[in-house]
Amino acid sequence: MDRHDGDPVLDRFHFLVNAPALFNAVATAVELRVFHFLSENPRSGFEEIRAYTDLPAHQLRVLLQAVCTTGLLRREGGLYLNSDVAADLLASDAEDSWGHIIVGWKEVYYPAFVHMTKALKAGTNLALDTYPGDEPTLYQRLSRNPELEAVFHRAMSAFTLQSVDALVEREEFTSVRRLLDVGGGDGTTSARLVARHPELVSTVFDMPSVSKLGEDKAAAAHPDRVELHPGDIFNDVFPVGADAVLFSHVLEIFSEDQILGLMKKAYDSLPEGGKVFVYGYNVSDDETTGIFGARLGLYFNVLASGQGMAYPARDYENWLRQAGFGDVKTVTGLPYEHGLTLGVK
């Protein structure tokens, strides 16, 4: 008998060491639209699924067994059906579907992690070498591959939508009239904000290739209230006229010096009484919990930027104060390990 039997850490270890294969099995089921099929055809038999997926019988048997071990699929009397979780998260093409997230992580995030040991020892994002170009971040190099860039941002938008309502519903936005959404991607967050707050107009400031993705999305849906401002958030001046600046899922990508520099630019661009919002992942103060944040920090350092992490809220609070902001506070306990740190000029 193993001396660790009954220890929940051992159970997590056993799942962890099998997780890479099981994750890819679920991703394959997503790509083959197995969850979609079973949503429309619950309690289907093996042959019906084989005819739909066009997989060889033995390989489908192996795939279904793997996905069933995760609990996402169930088999009852030889018939297959989605679990409630799979039906809710994976059986739809909706903008917030976890299917988009899983495919994005499979195509971009997880292949990079085979380089983790070398990258962490080197102190730089060595996995970026697998992408053509000489730019220092993944976001810049993806502009050379529009198809993969679209997959990446579709996944980013879907995951943003899993948590963004906790931000959108904040009463602090009711007094904001003009928002600057720095690093706002394709405008997913800004679109939700202007839909919720009818007096709000938002300017999304991001790379030209990313802004282009927003032309047919956020800007098209709200042509008078979501504006796209292509540029470089570090080297270009912030657009003027905003009474609030939002950093959503962007600061954690960078180093302390870069973050502080962006916060100072935000401070300089705002009028007296202007607000700053910092929304994203927060690890615990002792930096020992937060599996989503842990994954994100590794991804940043191995592939995306070579630096950054899901910082504790206290770090953002200290940087905002150093940049000159007052009335600094953090709202904690938001979905998916998120926090919202606020300050006023």
Side-chain angles (χ1 to χ4, degrees):
M1 181 175 179
D2 193 305
R3 67 188 181 91
H4 298 292
D5 280 354
D7 187 336
V9 176
L10 179 63
D11 292 337
R12 178 174 287 190
F13 173 79
H14 285 158
F15 184 79
L16 177 69
V17 295
N18 291 288
L22 296 177
F23 169 84
N24 281 283
V26 172
T28 294
V30 167
E31 292 175 317
L32 293 172
R33 300 180 69 81
V34 171
F35 302 108
H36 289 74
F37 177 76
L38 290 176
S39 178
E40 297 170 359
N41 305 276
R43 296 187 177 277
S44 290
F46 182 89
E47 287 301 320
E48 294 170 285
I49 301 172
R50 188 189 64 77
Y52 178 77
T53 61
D54 200 31
L55 283 186
H58 178 73
Q59 280 67 32
L60 178 62
R61 179 184 181 186
V62 170
L63 176 66
L64 291 176
Q65 189 270 331
V67 180
C68 282
T69 66
T70 70
L72 291 169
L73 291 184
R74 302 206 312 269
R75 186 181 181 190
E76 298 178 355
L79 302 178
Y80 293 87
L81 63 157
N82 288 327
S83 68
D84 290 343
V85 171
D88 288 343
L89 302 186
L90 299 173
S92 151
D93 291 319
E95 195 178 11
D96 64 348
S97 171
W98 263 91
H100 302 315
I101 300 168
I102 285 174
V103 171
W105 289 4
K106 170 180 175 284
E107 294 295 323
V108 180
Y109 280 50
Y110 288 156
F113 289 151
V114 298
H115 304 279
M116 187 177 299
T117 303
K118 290 182 179 179
L120 294 182
K121 289 178 70 174
T124 189
N125 48 336
L126 290 181
L128 192 62
D129 292 343
T130 60
Y131 292 83
D134 56 5
E135 299 89 349
T137 72
L138 171 69
Y139 312 101
Q140 293 164 308
R141 294 201 189 184
L142 280 175
S143 65
R144 298 169 177 267
N145 186 338
E147 184 176 342
L148 187 60
E149 186 177 41
V151 169
F152 175 78
H153 282 282
R154 190 178 303 120
M156 290 273 289
S157 294
F159 199 73
T160 293
L161 291 171
Q162 296 293 328
S163 67
V164 75
D165 285 348
L167 172 69
V168 168
E169 295 297 327
R170 296 298 305 178
E171 64 180 13
E172 290 86 354
F173 283 102
T174 59
S175 62
V176 176
R177 293 296 173 264
R178 192 161 192 91
L179 180 71
L180 176 61
D181 184 359
V182 179
D186 63 6
T188 295
T189 299
S190 281
R192 279 295 182 99
L193 281 165
V194 301
R196 176 64 180 82
H197 301 281
E199 303 299 320
L200 181 65
V201 174
S202 184
T203 298
V204 182
F205 185 19
D206 213 318
M207 294 167 43
S209 64
V210 178
S211 291
K212 189 171 180 60
L213 294 174
E215 290 178 359
D216 298 325
K217 193 174 181 182
H222 306 278
D224 298 323
R225 300 179 57 216
V226 175
E227 303 171 356
L228 304 176
H229 186 95
D232 185 316
I233 64 173
F234 289 105
N235 297 317
D236 296 341
V237 298
F238 281 7
V240 298
D243 57 348
V245 173
L246 170 65
F247 296 104
S248 177
H249 295 131
V250 61
L251 293 182
E252 58 256 46
I253 300 169
F254 303 114
S255 68
E256 176 178 347
D257 288 343
Q258 290 173 307
I259 293 170
L260 188 54
L262 289 171
M263 287 182 171
K264 288 178 176 177
K265 290 180 74 171
Y267 184 88
D268 291 341
S269 73
L270 285 169
E272 199 73 21
K275 299 174 183 177
V276 64
F277 301 88
V278 178
Y279 184 67
Y281 300 85
N282 290 159
V283 297
S284 59
D285 281 345
D286 65 1
E287 301 183 16
T288 62
T289 60
I291 58 174
F292 284 95
R295 173 195 53 80
L296 195 71
L298 292 168
Y299 153 73
F300 289 151
N301 284 270
V302 173
L303 174 61
S305 61
Q307 55 204 346
M309 63 180 290
Y311 296 99
R314 65 165 185 264
D315 286 6
Y316 290 121
E317 293 175 352
N318 290 336
W319 293 327
L320 283 177
R321 292 189 182 101
Q322 289 180 54
F325 290 98
D327 297 328
V328 174
K329 63 179 181 179
T330 298
V331 180
T332 60
L334 302 180
Y336 290 104
E337 304 169 7
H338 279 61
L340 173 63
T341 302
L342 308 98
V344 179
K345 179 171 177 176

